[in-house]
């Protein structure tokens, strides 16, 4: 169980959960929800938008660059993809992903923009359906996913947690099976115990992941990030502290990160670890607390 909290934290930092409660959180939630759907459908997904590059793709799906836009009306969604000064489409040849319930209206609006010459390189309005991609969630669903305590966000978190649970099950199964054989258990007995231990660990990982993800959407989590970031800035004033922050960020991200970017990432990682650690302890102790309450009544 000791590996659950840090693995859950790393899994959540690979998403944009920390941005769900910020301005534009609906869009971030839509990006993650649509990416998760594509991954579950077996498509090759590269989440390129995490670097926040200007006019860059939010993700690449089977080699196709996708830019996700989610606003409360089809006209606002389409307008957001065009430059306010030149009126031209801002995303080159990328597909524009729109809310599921706005797709038909968005296609018609894109047809009009093409006929007006506002989409460089595209002259045939009939190509609008090729440019507009229907999202897998509606605007309201994305809005709900960005918030805690509703069916849509809980469903999304449950699906997103499945990957973490499978990894926890596999790791626990292998360790327990190997330990059982080492202790002299029969292969059948070791296999049975390993399966039970794997399911137990996967269950703890599941509830830890869902609970932590819900907490990350709260204002308290945002304030926690600000508090941790402030402390890290003071730590970073020393050469040793700065080096440690850069190293943690590099190991976590798999690439060299320095300065403010490193501080921001490590502060979010520490916040996530604190939350997942607290939730893990709660999940682990709840059965004992329940038993104690029953025996004491």
């Amino acid at each position: 169980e000791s590996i659950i909290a840090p693995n859950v934290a790393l899994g959540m930092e690979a998403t944009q959960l920390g941005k769900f409660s910020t301005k534009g959180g609906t869009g971030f939630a839509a990006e993650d929800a649509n990416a998760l759907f594509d991954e579950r459908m077996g498509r090759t997904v590269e989440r390129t938008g995490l670097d926040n590059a200007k006019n860059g793709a939010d993700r690449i799906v089977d080699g196709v660059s996708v830019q996700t836009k989610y606003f409360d009306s089809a006209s606002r969604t389409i307008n957001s993809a065009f430059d306010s000064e030149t009126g031209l489409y801002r995303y080159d040849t990328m597909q524009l992903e729109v809310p599921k319930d706005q797709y038909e209206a968005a296609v018609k609006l894109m047809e009009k923009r093409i006929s007006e010459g506002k989409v460089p390189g595209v002259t045939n309005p009939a190509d609008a359906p090729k440019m507009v991609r229907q999202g897998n969630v509606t605007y309201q669903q994305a809005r709900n996913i960005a918030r805690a305590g509703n069916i849509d966000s809980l469903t999304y978190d449950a699906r997103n947690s499945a990957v973490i649970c499978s990894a926890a099950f596999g790791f626990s199964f292998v360790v327990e099976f190997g330990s059982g054989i080492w202790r002299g258990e029969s292969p059948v007995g070791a296999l049975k115990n390993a399966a039970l231990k794997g399911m137990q660990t996967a269950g703890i990982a599941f509830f830890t992941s869902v609970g932590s993800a819900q907490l990350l959407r709260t204002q308290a989590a945002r304030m926690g990030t600000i508090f941790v970031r402030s402390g890290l800035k003071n730590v970073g004033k020393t050469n040793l502290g700065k080096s440690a922050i850069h190293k943690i960020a590099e190991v976590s991200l798999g690439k060299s990160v320095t300065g403010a970017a490193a501080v921001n990432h490590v502060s979010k990682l520490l916040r996530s670890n604190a939350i997942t650690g607290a939730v893990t302890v709660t999940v682990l102790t709840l059965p004992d607390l329940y038993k104690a309450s029953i025996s004491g009544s």
Side-chain angles (χ1 to χ4, degrees):
E1 289 83 358
S2 61
I3 67 168
I4 291 176
N7 279 319
V8 170
L10 283 173
M12 290 191 297
E13 284 307 318
T15 69
Q16 301 181 96
L17 266 167
K19 300 178 183 177
F20 284 10
S21 61
T22 65
K23 182 180 180 181
T26 297
F28 294 125
E31 291 174 21
D32 278 3
N34 286 321
L36 178 62
F37 181 88
D38 285 336
E39 290 168 347
R40 288 172 63 85
M41 293 299 292
R43 297 165 185 151
T44 301
V45 178
E46 183 181 355
R47 303 196 187 200
T48 55
L50 298 178
D51 61 3
N52 294 318
K54 184 177 181 181
N55 295 336
D58 290 319
R59 72 183 188 280
I60 299 175
V61 184
D62 290 338
V64 178
S65 296
V66 178
Q67 171 64 220
T68 301
K69 293 293 183 184
Y70 268 62
F71 288 84
D72 57 5
S73 69
S75 59
R76 291 192 65 200
T77 295
I78 291 296
N79 287 342
S80 68
F82 289 81
D83 189 272
S84 59
E85 295 182 1
T86 65
L88 299 177
Y89 186 63
R90 296 193 288 138
Y91 299 108
D92 195 25
T93 58
M94 296 181 204
Q95 282 189 339
L96 184 68
E97 185 171 58
V98 302
K100 185 176 183 179
D101 53 329
Q102 297 178 13
Y103 176 71
E104 293 182 3
V107 168
K108 292 180 180 178
L109 290 169
M110 185 63 79
E111 289 175 350
K112 182 179 179 182
R113 294 298 182 102
I114 293 174
S115 65
E116 294 172 346
K118 300 297 184 181
V119 184
V122 182
T123 58
N124 187 357
D127 289 334
K130 299 177 183 178
M131 293 192 61
V132 180
R133 181 187 188 96
Q134 186 175 33
N136 301 293
V137 294
T138 66
Y139 172 79
Q140 187 58 52
Q141 285 175 322
R143 185 176 171 82
N144 289 342
I145 290 171
R147 299 176 175 180
N150 61 78
I151 295 299
D152 288 321
S153 68
L154 287 168
T155 300
Y156 166 78
D157 288 342
R159 291 172 177 169
N160 197 43
S161 298
V163 176
I164 298 173
C165 292
S166 61
F169 175 87
F171 184 85
S172 180
F173 179 91
V174 170
V175 171
E176 185 64 22
F177 181 75
S179 299
I181 295 297
W182 183 265
R183 291 192 298 267
E185 297 177 7
S186 68
V188 174
L191 189 65
K192 179 180 178 181
N193 291 333
L196 290 172
K197 185 63 176 179
M199 287 187 288
Q200 178 188 20
T201 304
I204 295 171
F206 176 81
F207 287 109
T208 296
S209 180
V210 172
S212 300
Q214 289 288 306
L215 287 174
L216 270 176
R217 291 172 168 85
T218 64
Q219 183 67 23
R222 288 185 64 190
M223 296 302 295
T225 304
I226 295 173
F227 177 77
V228 174
R229 186 186 297 124
S230 177
L232 283 177
K233 285 182 179 179
N234 290 327
V235 172
K237 291 178 180 179
T238 66
N239 290 332
L240 180 61
K242 183 185 297 183
S243 177
I245 292 171
H246 291 172
K247 191 62 179 179
I248 292 172
E250 181 181 353
V251 172
S252 173
L253 294 171
K255 61 181 181 181
S256 179
V257 182
T258 60
V263 171
N264 288 337
H265 177 73
V266 174
S267 62
K268 292 176 182 177
L269 192 60
L270 290 175
R271 171 213 59 193
S272 297
N273 271 284
I275 290 175
T276 55
V279 174
T280 301
V281 170
T282 301
V283 172
L284 287 171
T285 56
L286 275 178
D288 293 332
L289 292 174
Y290 176 76
K291 292 177 183 178
S293 66
I294 294 298
S295 63
S297 59

